[in-house]
């Protein structure tokens, strides 16, 4: 046998169909790797225990809104936090006789959520017994025509809208504090395995008229991606039938359904409602909204990238451009959607940073700790 080298024949050129198949396989590997990396990192972060907060020797009577869904998940979140932070919690709602119940239970604090259906004489009787009272308002500034009539009856007022603080202080309320909502980790957390939802873009929310007007001109461009919209009143959009079940009309989604949808979407749009809306608001003073809505924290807690319309106080809670991103016009939103759908690492890293910030600073346990610190030091 001679020692001559055998030069292998060059590979046959691939056909266009084979090239396309190879590109598809490599793309699939890349998508799978990116998805697995994101889910793995989220699982690690989600598994970290929340930093412990000392339990206070307090008995809190918590007065739920009594309005049912969609307020009941807020009740769940507040109650969960109170039970972790205090030694005793009594649960009731606005339909009960609070004065009689407090005479038996002797709470240190009565905390009311929303409170618009609670008879004010009940609050006066509680204060007459020397019991501290506090209200956490849920819908500022959109229903201030009603809330302005009740806030002066409480010892402490907590509002999720920064611009309402001075309004309520001007009504003679000495203790008014800014306390936005947060994310309830028992409801909003990322899917850490393979997600049953696969979307490019999601929006979940009611079709207030500002949202209809914002989306209408860009709808063909927006729906050219794998985009789905869920919420009530979307029959207000004349073009909704053109998109079939990609615009789901008239369904309230549970927090768990919402979280799975957020987590299975590459981008979630957060478009706040407008403070000027003659049909759906009761805000005669036209108090502008500067603060982030609860959805801001819930999207971030679900481990996905959030694109939100710019609000003045957003930067207090998240680093814009690092943890979430914002837009000021429909076209800017579309430009950023296209950008992040083609820049996977930036999208993924921003979602992870927002998730980590939310777990650290924006849970209901943190918020209720702030509330109790205001009252008790």
């Amino acid at each position: 046998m001679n020692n001559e080298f055998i030069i292998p024949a060059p590979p046959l050129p691939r056909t266009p169909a084979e090239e396309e198949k190879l590109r598809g396989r490599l793309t699939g590997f890349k998508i799978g790797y990116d998805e697995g990396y994101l889910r793995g990192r989220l699982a690690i972060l989600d598994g970290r225990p929340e930093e412990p907060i000392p339990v206070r020797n307090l008995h809190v009577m918590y007065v739920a809104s009594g309005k049912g869904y969609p307020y009941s998940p807020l009740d769940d979140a507040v109650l969960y936090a109170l039970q972790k932070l205090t030694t005793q919690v009594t649960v009731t709602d606005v339909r009960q006789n609070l004065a009689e119940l407090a005479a038996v239970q002797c709470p240190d604090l009565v905390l009311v959520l929303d409170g618009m259906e609670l008879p004010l004489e009940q609050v006066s009787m509680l204060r007459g017994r020397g019991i501290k009272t506090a209200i956490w308002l849920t819908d500022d500034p959109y229903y201030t025509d009603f809330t302005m009539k009740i806030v002066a009856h409480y010892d402490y007022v907590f509002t999720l809208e920064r611009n309402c603080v001075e309004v309520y202080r001007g009504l003679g309320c000495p203790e008014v504090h800014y306390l936005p909502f947060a994310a309830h980790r028992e409801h909003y957390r990322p899917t850490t395995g393979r997600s049953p939802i696969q979307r490019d873009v999601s929006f979940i929310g009611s079709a207030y008229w500002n949202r209809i007007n914002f989306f209408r001109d860009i709808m063909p461009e927006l729906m050219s991606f794998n985009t789905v919209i869920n919420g009530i009143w979307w029959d207000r959009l004349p073009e909704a039938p053109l998109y079939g079940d990609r615009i789901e009309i008239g369904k309230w989604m549970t927090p768990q359904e919402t979280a799975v949808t957020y987590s299975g979407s590459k981008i979630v749009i957060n478009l706040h409602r407008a403070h000027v809306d003659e049909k759906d608001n009761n805000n005669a003073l036209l108090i502008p909204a500067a603060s982030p809505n609860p959805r801001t924290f819930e999207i971030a807690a679900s481990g996905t990238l959030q694109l939100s319309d710019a609000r003045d106080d957003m930067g207090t809670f998240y680093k814009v451009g690092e943890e979430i991103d914002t837009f000021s016009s429909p076209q800017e939103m579309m430009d950023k959607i296209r950008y992040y759908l083609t820049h996977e690492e930036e999208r993924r890293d921003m979602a992870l940073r927002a998730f980590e910030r939310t777990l650290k600073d924006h849970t209901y346990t943190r918020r209720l700790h702030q509330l109790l610190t205001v009252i008790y030091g």
Side-chain angles (χ1 to χ4, degrees):
M1 184 176 181
N2 61 38
N3 294 322
E4 293 180 2
F5 290 106
I6 299 174
I7 301 174
L12 295 173
R14 298 187 185 93
T15 66
E18 289 172 331
E19 287 285 354
E20 183 67 26
K21 185 176 180 180
L22 178 60
R23 281 196 297 269
R25 184 181 297 119
L26 293 174
T27 299
F29 287 154
K30 178 68 165 58
I31 292 172
Y33 171 82
D34 290 338
E35 179 75 3
Y37 180 86
L38 174 62
R39 300 295 167 192
R41 287 286 305 279
L42 289 170
I44 292 171
L45 294 171
D46 193 41
R48 293 178 183 174
E50 191 170 352
E51 184 179 336
I53 300 173
V55 176
R56 296 173 186 265
N57 185 21
L58 291 172
H59 177 189
V60 179
M61 180 184 288
Y62 176 62
V63 185
S65 67
K67 290 183 174 181
Y69 201 81
Y71 290 83
S72 50
L74 297 175
D75 291 320
D76 294 342
V78 175
L79 180 59
Y80 177 88
L82 286 173
Q83 289 171 334
K84 291 181 68 175
L85 294 172
T86 64
T87 52
Q88 184 178 353
V89 181
T90 298
V91 186
T92 183
D93 62 47
V94 295
R95 295 164 293 192
Q96 309 306 313
N97 189 317
L98 303 186
E100 288 184 2
L101 184 59
V104 175
Q105 296 290 336
C106 302
D108 301 297
L109 171 69
V110 173
L111 173 61
V112 178
L113 186 76
D114 180 68
M116 287 200 284
E117 297 182 5
L118 177 62
L120 294 175
E121 61 268 20
Q122 293 277 319
V123 184
S124 298
M125 292 175 70
L126 292 168
R127 295 179 72 182
R129 294 176 183 272
I131 299 171
K132 294 181 186 294
T133 60
I135 185 169
W136 198 358
L137 298 168
T138 59
D139 292 291
D140 282 342
Y142 310 110
Y143 299 110
T144 46
D145 295 353
F146 304 131
T147 57
M148 289 172 64
K149 298 175 182 178
I150 66 176
V151 288
H153 293 263
Y154 291 86
D155 296 306
Y156 295 86
V157 177
F158 295 89
T159 173
L160 48 64
E161 173 49 55
R162 186 186 70 182
N163 286 338
C164 283
V165 172
E166 291 304 321
V167 174
Y168 296 146
R169 287 176 180 168
L171 297 173
C173 304
E175 292 282 355
V176 185
H177 302 273
Y178 177 33
L179 192 69
F181 284 159
H184 183 31
R185 290 190 66 187
E186 301 302 302
H187 289 165
Y188 291 93
R189 60 194 330 149
T191 302
T192 53
R194 184 172 179 82
S195 175
I197 301 289
Q198 299 289 331
R199 298 181 184 178
D200 290 334
V201 183
S202 283
F203 176 79
I204 299 176
S206 302
Y208 293 108
W209 287 108
N210 72 299
R211 292 171 176 168
I212 294 288
N213 295 331
F214 183 94
F215 281 124
R216 192 170 184 188
D217 288 344
I218 60 167
M219 190 62 73
E221 187 179 4
L222 179 62
M223 300 303 273
S224 69
F225 301 103
N226 178 17
T227 302
V228 181
I229 294 173
N230 308 88
I232 62 172
W233 304 338
W234 283 99
D235 49 352
R236 290 175 171 180
L237 179 69
E239 295 82 8
L242 297 176
Y243 302 103
D245 58 5
R246 293 175 65 196
I247 298 182
E248 187 178 41
I249 297 172
K251 179 185 176 183
W252 282 111
M253 297 174 69
T254 67
Q256 292 81 1
E257 289 176 309
T258 303
V260 169
T261 301
Y262 286 161
S263 191
S265 304
K266 293 181 178 180
I267 297 171
V268 177
I269 298 168
N270 181 11
L271 180 61
H272 292 73
R273 63 189 287 187
H275 70 279
V276 179
D277 187 325
E278 292 182 1
K279 181 174 177 57
D280 297 313
N281 289 354
N282 291 274
N283 180 17
L285 293 181
L286 302 182
I287 300 168
S291 303
N293 58 14
R295 187 176 287 111
T296 304
F297 308 106
E298 294 162 357
I299 295 170
S302 302
T304 193
L305 172 65
Q306 175 174 182
L307 288 181
S308 174
D309 56 323
R311 281 212 160 175
D312 291 347
D313 205 33
M314 189 70 77
T316 300
F317 302 93
Y318 293 101
K319 293 180 180 179
V320 176
E322 295 183 28
E323 295 170 337
I324 67 170
D325 210 342
T326 60
F327 55 85
S328 299
S329 68
Q331 199 52 56
E332 184 182 10
M333 185 189 78
M334 291 309 309
D335 291 342
K336 290 190 174 182
I337 286 174
R338 282 190 295 270
Y339 179 84
Y340 286 113
L341 288 179
T342 55
H343 291 75
E344 170 62 28
E345 290 188 11
E346 289 184 49
R347 180 185 71 83
R348 181 186 67 204
D349 291 347
M350 192 173 290
L352 287 167
R353 286 191 290 265
F355 181 63
E356 191 165 15
R357 168 62 69 91
T358 304
L359 299 189
K360 179 177 179 289
D361 295 333
H362 303 315
T363 64
Y364 275 93
T365 309
R366 288 284 164 196
R367 293 289 193 266
L368 268 296
H369 176 61
Q370 289 177 258
L371 183 149
L372 296 172
T373 299
V374 165
I375 298 174
Y376 291 100

